[in-house]
């Protein structure tokens, strides 16, 4: 009889960095960033070995920005003091809130390294990993320490004999571990992640034939007998014997996961590009793979399952079978063809097939709406399911939406005619609910909102997308007119957060929304769960829900509008927000020092030994109709993939285990569209650059009109870091301010500062409208994403010209594009609204002095740049200048800044609300 104590109710796994992360059923697969791993990244290992910890921090930050929900840190390198490296890196992360907000996975084969990490980490991490390979005493000791440190843990199916390779061994070891962890030590069951080992099948060795079955059965047993425990594994291992034949590997992964997920597998590492739709696999291939995976029919026609699979494997090499499949699906009945076209995003035959089915249905006395309610919605339901399971990615979903819209556009005239003739019959398929969405007043960014709109529409929600810069009154009026079930707000810049709070307050004031408890969804780059709970939700009695990305929008909207689960969803949300507000009120903020102490610990620069280079001109210079093809050479593609929720660094993302194949597809589409926009001159690239004499006065930088330095153009008021800085190698890090990198007024050093504004946004909206008129959201979103990339590339190009020619302080610079993207050059170009300069207000003076109206650039009332595909900022040339995060500032600095700027302190508090200590 089992000694396992079954628990009646086991909570979700709760992890945290500075912010909580609950691993619930809604989260799906958790994305773990692995680039901060010296064993898996040569670049990261080189940085650590070369003592370049600031650069290594940038890698961690990039992972978080790329969407990693947890970051894995490994310092197992023979030439490293791994314990010291782990401790130092984690301490540096702790002082960087934008990284430290996510949970950490401490990864090492050495317990001493794991414990070194656990001693200094904040939040609740995951330990990777422990096992019984060194015996129970060591296992108990390590598990108790992990529990004392409050961490979760990966537990390998590994004992004193070795790795578990059979069902009996897997279950015995996992059970043994579970009983020790839960019953003896009191380790929370929800914090256990078993890895029962996935091994290669179809190797020709008979003992390997049952490996997949053993894993699947062990997974089922774990989920049924070890309550709360989770199961993970490296799926790609199962097909290792078919390296070089991607089609067969895809089929093996698909069939294996089909059965493993049904058995209860929670997580897995698999190349999603090598993952097909189970029902769409070639029937003969699927049957023979299933024989191998399930180890069935050990002898058929005198051959083993492996031998029978090998008989046909060569037919699927080199992608040849894919072309055959593309021809075969056209022979299926028209209903199946429509569903197939939606799932695979194929527009080639959509009008032909839609018209054929419409004629067939209406010829039999049916209605045109049946085409939508039948095969089109069936196809979109498949798309929604696959997206929710992480088996499809945003680019695929948006392509599916393009197919759907083109089909519906053909049917609309027939549906409208039917409405006129049969008013009582109704029109389109009943939507799950209606959502009014808008980018709030003063904000012009809408790529993310448009993607969310498409994803919701793909899941049969009716969405009214109001566009950008929409005032609160218009949003609420439209919501009333449309009888909206949900209101959705989006924003990218920090002033948008205040506008969202205002919308919530107005909904509370309005009996219509307060009485109906109309849900409010919040999303955008500057938003967060904590901000929503603390700053927005308290102002409205109805549900206020933070939606972190497009993949969550469907589950949130469905839960809010569900007759069965809405009440519980809203109550759980409110309970969660109460806990967040309590934690926020009671949290121990990172220690701060006084402004006076921070200024004493400024970055020290030997100005007496520095002679600034003088720019080639003083004043401004305008560049009109700059070559798009030249700009394109400077594109940093990594953020482009982030737009499509594909996490990874370019070009490595193209070969990524999970998203590589889809990344290559969307990259090819981008290159095709980029060539069209360059050849067709769809966009206009304009820039203005200026150089002025400048000196620092305290924490401010004064720009002068001429060399006499008597007539200030404007004063750039800066903030200084006030967090208590760590001591590294016996030296305390400075409390930095951008003014530290400009020569002080009293130094007698005649320094200079550069200003710039670039835009590639003129012409975007016209082409986007053309695509949308053709029901092609995919191309519309792609164009906006490319325009944004070109704007950033234009900023990179102009900075290069400034360094080598216009200012020429690095005239001999020879760098590759990758080196420029990695900022391996002298000087920086900080931009308002970014970590080193969080205040947006300086843009008003910056664009005024630049005369940005000459290139059609203006500011909205919330100080967002218009057009959206624009960049502005400053050039600092000192060799020691570097980027940093100001972080939280205290009341003494807010008061000091208000006095320096001559504005009410309330205005400063409002403008810097996200930076307040």
């Amino acid at each position: 009889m089992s000694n396992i104590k079954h628990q009646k109710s086991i909570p979700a796994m709760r992890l945290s960095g500075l912010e909580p992360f609950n691993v619930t059923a809604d989260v799906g697969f958790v994305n773990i960033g692995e680039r901060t791993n010296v064993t898996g990244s040569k670049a990261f290992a080189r940085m650590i070995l070369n003592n370049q910890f600031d650069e290594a921090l940038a890698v961690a930050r990039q992972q978080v920005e790329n969407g990693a929900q947890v970051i894995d840190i490994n310092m197992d390198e023979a030439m490293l003091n791994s314990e010291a490296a782990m401790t130092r890196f984690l301490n540096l992360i702790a002082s960087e809130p934008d990284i430290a907000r996510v949970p950490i996975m401490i990864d090492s084969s050495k317990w001493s390294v794991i414990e070194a990490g656990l001693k200094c980490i904040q939040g609740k991490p995951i330990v990777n990993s422990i096992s019984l390979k060194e015996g129970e005493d060591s296992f108990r000791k390590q598990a108790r320490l992990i529990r004392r440190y409050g961490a979760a843990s990966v537990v390998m199916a590994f004992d004193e004999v070795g790795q578990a390779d059979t069902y009996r061994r897997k279950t015995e070891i996992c059970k043994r571990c579970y009983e020790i962890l839960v019953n003896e030590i009191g380790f929370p069951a929800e914090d256990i992640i078993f890895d029962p080992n996935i091994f290669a099948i179809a190797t020709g060795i008979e003992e390997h034939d049952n490996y997949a079955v053993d894993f699947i059965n062990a997974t089922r047993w774990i989920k049924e007998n070890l309550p709360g425990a989770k199961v993970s594994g490296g799926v790609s291992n199962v097909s290792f014997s078919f390296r070089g034949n991607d089609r067969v590997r895809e089929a093996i992964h698909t069939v294996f996961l089909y059965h493993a997920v049904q058995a209860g597998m929670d997580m897995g590492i698999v190349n999603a590009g090598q993952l097909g739709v189970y029902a769409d696999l070639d029937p003969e291939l699927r049957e023979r793979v299933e024989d191998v995976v399930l180890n069935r029919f050990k002898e058929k026609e005198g051959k083993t399952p492996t031998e029978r699979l090998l008989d046909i494997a060569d037919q699927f090499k080199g992608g040849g079978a894919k072309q055959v499949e593309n021809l075969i699906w056209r022979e299926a009945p028209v209903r199946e063809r429509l569903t197939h076209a939606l799932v695979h995003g194929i527009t080639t035959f959509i009008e032909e097939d839609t018209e054929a089915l419409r004629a067939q249905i209406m010829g039999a006395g049916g209605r045109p709406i049946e085409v939508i309610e039948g095969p089109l919605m069936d196809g979109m339901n498949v798309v929604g399911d696959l997206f929710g399971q992480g088996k499809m990615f945003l680019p695929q979903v948006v392509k599916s939406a393009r197919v759907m819209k083109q089909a519906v556009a053909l049917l609309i005239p027939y549906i409208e005619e039917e409405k006129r003739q049969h008013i009582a019959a109704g029109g389109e398929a009943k939507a799950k609910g209606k959502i009014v969405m808008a980018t709030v007043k003063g904000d012009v960014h809408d790529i993310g909102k448009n993607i969310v709109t498409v994803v919701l529409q793909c899941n049969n929600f009716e969405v009214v997308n109001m566009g950008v810069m929409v005032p609160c009154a218009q949003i609420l009026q439209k919501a009333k007119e449309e009888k909206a079930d949900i209101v959705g707000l989006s924003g990218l810049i920090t002033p948008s957060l205040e506008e969202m709070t205002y919308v919530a307050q107005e909904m509370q004031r309005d009996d219509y929304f307060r009485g109906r408890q109309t849900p409010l969804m919040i999303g955008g780059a500057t938003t967060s769960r904590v901000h929503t709970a603390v700053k927005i939700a308290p102002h409205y009695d109805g549900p206020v829900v933070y939606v972190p990305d497009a993949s969550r929008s469907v589950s949130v909207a469905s839960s809010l509008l569900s007759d069965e689960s809405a009440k519980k969803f809203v109550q759980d949300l409110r309970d969660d927000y109460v806990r967040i507000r309590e934690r926020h009120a009671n949290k121990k903020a990172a220690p701060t020092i006084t402004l006076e102490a921070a200024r004493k610990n400024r970055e020290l620069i030997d100005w007496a030994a520095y002679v600034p280079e003088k720019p080639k001109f003083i004043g401004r210079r305008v560049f009109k109709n700059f070559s798009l093809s030249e700009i394109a050479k400077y594109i940093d593609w990594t953020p482009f993939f982030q737009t499509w929720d594909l996490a990874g660094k370019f070009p490595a993302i193209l070969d990524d285990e999970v998203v590589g194949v889809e990344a290559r597809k969307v990259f090819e589409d981008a290159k095709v569209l980029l060539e069209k926009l360059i050849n067709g001159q769809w966009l206009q690239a304009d820039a203005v650059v200026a150089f002025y004499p400048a000196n620092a006065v305290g924490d401010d930088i004064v720009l002068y009109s001429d060399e006499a330095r008597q007539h200030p153009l404007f004063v750039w008021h800066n903030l200084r870091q006030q967090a208590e800085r760590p001591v590294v190698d016996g030296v305390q890090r400075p409390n930095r301010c951008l003014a530290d990198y400009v020569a002080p007024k009293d130094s007698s050093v005649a320094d200079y500062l550069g200003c710039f504004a670039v835009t590639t946004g003129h012409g975007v909206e016209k082409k986007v409208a053309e695509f949308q008129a053709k029901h092609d959201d995919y191309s519309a979103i792609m164009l906006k994403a490319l325009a944004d990339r070109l704007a950033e590339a234009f900023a990179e190009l102009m900075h290069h010209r400034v360094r080598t020619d216009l200012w020429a302080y690095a005239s001999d610079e020879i760098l590759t594009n990758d080196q420029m993207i990695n900022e391996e050059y002298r000087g920086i170009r900080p931009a308002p609204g970014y970590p080193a300069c969080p205040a947006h207000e300086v843009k008003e003076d910056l664009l005024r002095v630049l005369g940005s109206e000459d290139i059609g650039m203006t500011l909205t009332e919330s100080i967002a740049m218009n057009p959206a595909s624009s960049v502005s900022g400053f050039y600092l040339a000192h060799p020691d200048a570097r980027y940093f995060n100001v972080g939280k500032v205290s009341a003494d600095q807010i008061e000091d800044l208000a006095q320096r700027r001559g504005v009410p302190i309330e205005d400063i508090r409002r403008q810097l609300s996200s930076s307040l200590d």
Side-chain angles (χ1 to χ4, degrees), residues 193-246:
I193 307 167
F194 282 116
D195 185 340
N197 307 319
I198 299 174
F199 298 118
I201 57 175
T203 63
I205 301 173
E206 186 176 354
E207 302 93 274
H208 300 175
D209 290 348
N210 215 51
Y211 278 163
V213 174
D214 286 339
F215 180 90
I216 292 167
N217 288 339
T219 296
R220 183 177 292 108
W221 187 91
I222 289 168
K223 302 302 286 187
E224 291 174 352
N225 294 277
L226 307 181
K230 292 165 183 62
V231 176
S232 181
V235 178
S236 297
N237 293 345
V238 75
S239 67
F240 194 69
S241 60
F242 280 89
R243 284 171 299 169
N245 192 330
D246 288 347

Side-chain angles (χ1 to χ4, degrees), residues 273-581:
Q274 289 186 336
L275 192 64
V277 178
Y278 178 82
D280 285 353
L281 294 175
D282 176 271
E284 183 181 18
L285 177 62
R286 182 178 64 226
E287 180 185 0
R288 297 196 185 200
V289 166
E290 203 142 30
D291 288 346
V292 170
V293 169
L294 300 180
N295 194 21
R296 64 187 185 187
F297 308 125
K298 296 188 179 183
E299 278 292 329
K300 185 190 287 186
E301 302 168 356
K303 295 182 178 180
T304 66
T306 298
E307 289 170 337
R308 291 197 303 276
L309 178 55
L310 286 170
D311 285 344
I312 67 169
D314 284 346
Q315 299 174 26
F316 297 90
K317 272 192 173 179
K322 201 169 267 190
Q323 182 62 35
V324 174
E325 182 188 41
N326 283 342
L327 297 175
I328 289 174
W329 76 273
R330 295 300 304 154
E331 299 174 9
V334 67
R335 289 175 181 267
E336 295 177 23
R337 296 202 301 267
L338 279 175
T339 299
H340 181 94
L342 280 161
V343 173
H344 296 279
I346 302 170
T347 59
T348 311
F349 308 99
I350 190 62
E351 293 187 0
E352 171 188 330
D353 287 350
T354 302
E355 174 57 25
L357 186 56
R358 182 207 62 79
Q360 184 184 111
I361 288 174
M362 295 186 72
R367 304 168 57 209
I369 192 65
E370 292 174 31
V371 182
I372 298 176
E373 293 175 334
L376 292 179
M377 285 314 303
D378 289 344
M380 293 315 294
N381 287 336
V382 173
V383 170
D385 290 343
L386 292 175
F387 184 54
Q389 295 163 18
K391 297 178 183 178
M392 283 183 74
F393 300 96
L394 271 176
Q396 294 167 296
V397 174
V398 178
K399 287 179 182 176
S400 296
R402 176 171 59 182
V403 178
M404 180 73 167
K405 286 192 172 186
Q406 290 182 12
V408 171
L410 186 143
L411 295 167
I412 287 295
Y414 298 99
I415 294 172
E416 293 299 326
E417 178 62 22
E418 184 190 50
K419 282 183 181 179
R420 285 191 290 271
Q421 296 180 13
H422 307 282
I423 295 175
E428 296 180 73
K430 186 179 184 296
K432 293 180 182 177
K434 183 179 285 188
I435 304 172
V436 165
M437 298 189 69
T439 299
V440 295
K441 183 181 72 170
D443 202 323
V444 297
H445 301 87
D446 67 349
I447 294 180
K449 171 176 61 68
N450 291 346
I451 289 176
V452 170
T453 295
V454 169
V455 171
L456 288 167
Q457 289 172 334
C458 287
N459 285 270
N460 203 21
F461 287 92
E462 185 178 348
V463 181
V464 179
N465 188 337
M466 295 183 68
V468 301
M469 293 198 294
V470 187
C472 173
Q474 292 182 21
I475 295 172
L476 301 188
Q477 182 60 37
K478 176 63 73 173
K480 292 178 182 178
E481 293 172 0
E482 298 287 345
K483 297 181 173 58
D485 300 294
I486 297 174
V487 174
L489 305 179
S490 176
L492 181 72
I493 59 175
T494 48
S496 299
L497 299 175
E498 185 179 358
E499 183 64 18
M500 291 178 181
T501 300
Y502 175 66
V503 173
Q505 291 170 333
E506 290 302 293
M507 290 178 73
Q508 178 67 17
R509 281 163 42 90
D510 195 316
D511 292 341
Y512 178 91
F513 297 104
R514 189 177 65 253
R516 288 169 174 76
Q517 293 285 283
T518 305
L520 178 62
M521 293 201 309
I522 300 293
T526 55
T527 60
S528 70
R529 184 161 157 266
V530 173
H531 183 274
T532 302
V534 175
K535 299 291 187 179
I536 302 178
H539 295 285
Y540 178 49
D541 290 344
V544 182
V545 192
Y546 167 62
V547 184
D549 52 52
S551 63
R552 312 287 176 82
S553 60
V554 175
S555 62
V556 168
S558 299
S559 298
L560 286 170
L561 301 183
S562 168
D563 293 336
E564 295 80 19
S565 61
K567 186 174 181 180
K568 183 178 185 305
F569 176 82
V570 172
Q571 188 57 53
D572 288 348
L573 177 74
R574 286 177 169 151
D575 292 344
D576 186 42
Y577 281 3
V578 169
R579 289 191 292 269
I580 290 173
R581 285 193 285 268

Side-chain angles (χ1 to χ4, degrees), residues 695-702 715-719 737 739 742 896-897 900-901:
N695 283 112
V697 178
D699 290 347
D700 298 332
I701 300 171
V702 184
V715 179
W716 179 15
H717 302 280
N718 283 287
L719 291 171
C737 173
V742 177
D896 186 85
L897 181 62
R900 281 150 49 201
R901 286 182 52 189

Side-chain angles (χ1 to χ4, degrees), residues 13 15 32 70-73 86 103-119 121 124-131 142-143 145-156 187 191-194:
M13 173 185 281
L15 306 172
I32 300 176
V70 177
I71 53 174
D72 175 279
I73 298 175
M86 179 68 79
I104 302 294
M105 176 180 278
I106 306 171
D107 183 357
S108 180
S109 59
K110 305 173 188 175
W111 174 254
S112 61
V113 178
I114 289 174
E115 189 165 21
L118 287 171
K119 285 179 179 177
I121 203 165
K124 180 177 178 180
I126 302 172
V127 167
N128 186 17
S129 61
I130 60 171
S131 73
Q142 293 173 359
L145 285 169
I146 291 172
R147 185 185 176 218
R148 185 184 303 170
Y149 286 116
S153 184
V154 174
V155 180
M156 300 294 297
F187 200 97
D191 287 345
I192 300 171
I193 307 167
F194 282 116

Side-chain angles (χ1 to χ4, degrees), residues 864-876:
M865 289 174 290
N866 194 18
S869 298
S870 302
V871 183
S872 65
F874 299 90
Y875 299 127
L876 275 66

Side-chain angles (χ1 to χ4, degrees), residues 625-641:
N625 291 310
F626 209 94
S627 168
L628 293 172
S629 59
E630 186 66 21
I631 293 171
K633 297 174 184 177
Y634 289 76
I635 289 178
D636 175 6
W637 286 102
T638 297
F640 167 81
F641 294 101

